[in-house]
Amino acid sequence: MEKSYTETFALRSLACDMRGHWKPGAILETMQETAGDHCVRLGIGRPVMDGLGIAWVLSRTRVQMKRLPRLGETISASTWPLPPKHLFYPRANAFTDAEGREIGAAASLWLLMDFKTRRVVNSEEVLRHLPDNADLPVGIPLGAAKPLAGEAAVNVLLPPYVDFDLNGHVNNTRYLDWTLNALGHKVLADKWVSDFCVSYDHEIRPGEEIRTELVQVGDQFSFCGFAGDTRCFCVSGTLSDR
């Protein structure tokens, strides 16, 4: 049973922004795909989960980057599950460069969702396939995204078709793309998102109109989305100079 899993790859243009840096949304995509590949090796990949009628969904995630790698750099992305806590399945991540130096770390908290009821469940079959990783490092503190107090820039969006995934809801990686679009060219010309948390509060299904609220106070920001009075997600983070 593989306790951890590592993928090494060269950073390609589709994962980079207009300045050639690794996009936050692409970092989340790497976390999602490496976690999925590790689950396949553990015997709980997508086909097995489909047979059980359940799917992995994210509850929270946090990413801290020491620097943003550039187009063409070689990156190693490592991931490992941590001991489950009640209905929550934590997972840690580390990112290193070609010389083995750490360039970032991440943490995430996963749940199991029943396809039919859309409710959180547990599964003895999944638990049986998870390695005992109590001896591995827990990584960075997870925390939760927190909305900032201040004047909000309010907008409305209708998530397009391409933002939805196999689970029938907006994919977790898309919220960071929405966040960068909200921050915009003027802010991101001189700044990059060096630390961010995402809280996934309620899934967004096709046809739902989302009200977004962006608040920026100095180098701190929050970006939250609501369907009516229900908060669906919150992103909060820190901007650093490029």
Side-chain angles (χ1 to χ4, degrees):
M1 188 176 289
E2 296 184 29
K3 294 169 71 69
S4 64
Y5 174 72
T6 300
E7 286 186 6
T8 299
F9 57 93
L11 193 58
R12 306 183 71 170
S13 57
L14 285 177
C16 296
D17 63 16
M18 62 187 296
R19 290 168 180 81
H21 291 123
W22 202 11
K23 294 186 292 188
I27 296 173
L28 292 183
E29 287 173 0
T30 297
M31 292 169 60
Q32 175 178 272
E33 294 304 314
T34 53
D37 289 343
H38 192 199
C39 284
V40 169
R41 285 159 173 78
L42 293 173
I44 44 175
R46 182 88 199 194
V48 174
M49 301 293 277
D50 285 348
L52 295 172
I54 56 179
W56 292 108
V57 294
L58 263 181
S59 172
R60 276 186 272 163
T61 192
R62 184 185 184 189
V63 175
Q64 284 183 323
M65 298 299 293
K66 295 181 178 180
R67 69 172 182 86
L68 280 185
R70 296 187 63 86
L71 174 67
E73 279 196 56
T74 297
I75 300 167
S76 291
S78 300
T79 182
W80 57 97
L82 296 168
K85 300 177 181 178
H86 305 296
L87 295 174
F88 295 100
Y89 296 79
R91 183 172 273 274
N93 299 78
F95 309 111
T96 55
D97 62 17
E99 285 72 44
R101 296 178 297 232
E102 185 178 297
I103 56 177
S108 54
L109 201 60
W110 296 79
L111 297 164
L112 293 171
M113 181 186 71
D114 183 285
F115 271 134
K116 291 182 179 179
T117 65
R118 314 300 289 186
R119 294 183 181 277
V120 174
V121 296
N122 215 335
S123 170
E124 290 299 323
E125 181 68 12
V126 170
L127 287 169
R128 188 171 65 84
H129 282 82
L130 292 177
D132 180 2
N133 281 352
D135 58 324
L136 295 188
V138 297
I140 63 173
L142 186 56
K146 297 179 180 179
L148 292 177
E151 184 177 354
V154 180
N155 207 339
V156 175
L157 63 85
L158 184 65
Y161 177 84
V162 294
D163 286 353
F164 293 88
D165 61 20
L166 288 169
N167 294 330
H169 56 213
V170 171
N171 186 263
N172 72 86
T173 67
R174 301 303 295 157
Y175 298 116
L176 263 296
D177 291 339
W178 294 357
T179 302
L180 265 63
N181 287 339
L183 288 168
H185 289 280
K186 186 175 181 180
V187 170
L188 296 175
D190 302 313
K191 302 286 185 179
W192 63 283
V193 179
S194 54
D195 188 340
F196 63 85
C197 293
V198 190
S199 291
Y200 304 93
D201 303 316
H202 192 276
E203 64 176 345
I204 298 175
R205 303 278 277 163
E208 287 190 290
E209 189 176 78
I210 304 301
R211 184 185 80 257
T212 62
E213 298 180 1
L214 173 70
V215 178
Q216 186 179 347
V217 180
D219 284 337
Q220 304 297 310
F221 69 87
S222 65
F223 181 66
C224 301
F226 303 83
D229 294 329
T230 301
R231 195 181 85 176
C232 298
F233 70 90
C234 182
V235 182
S236 62
T238 301
L239 298 165
S240 295
D241 294 332
R242 285 191 184 270

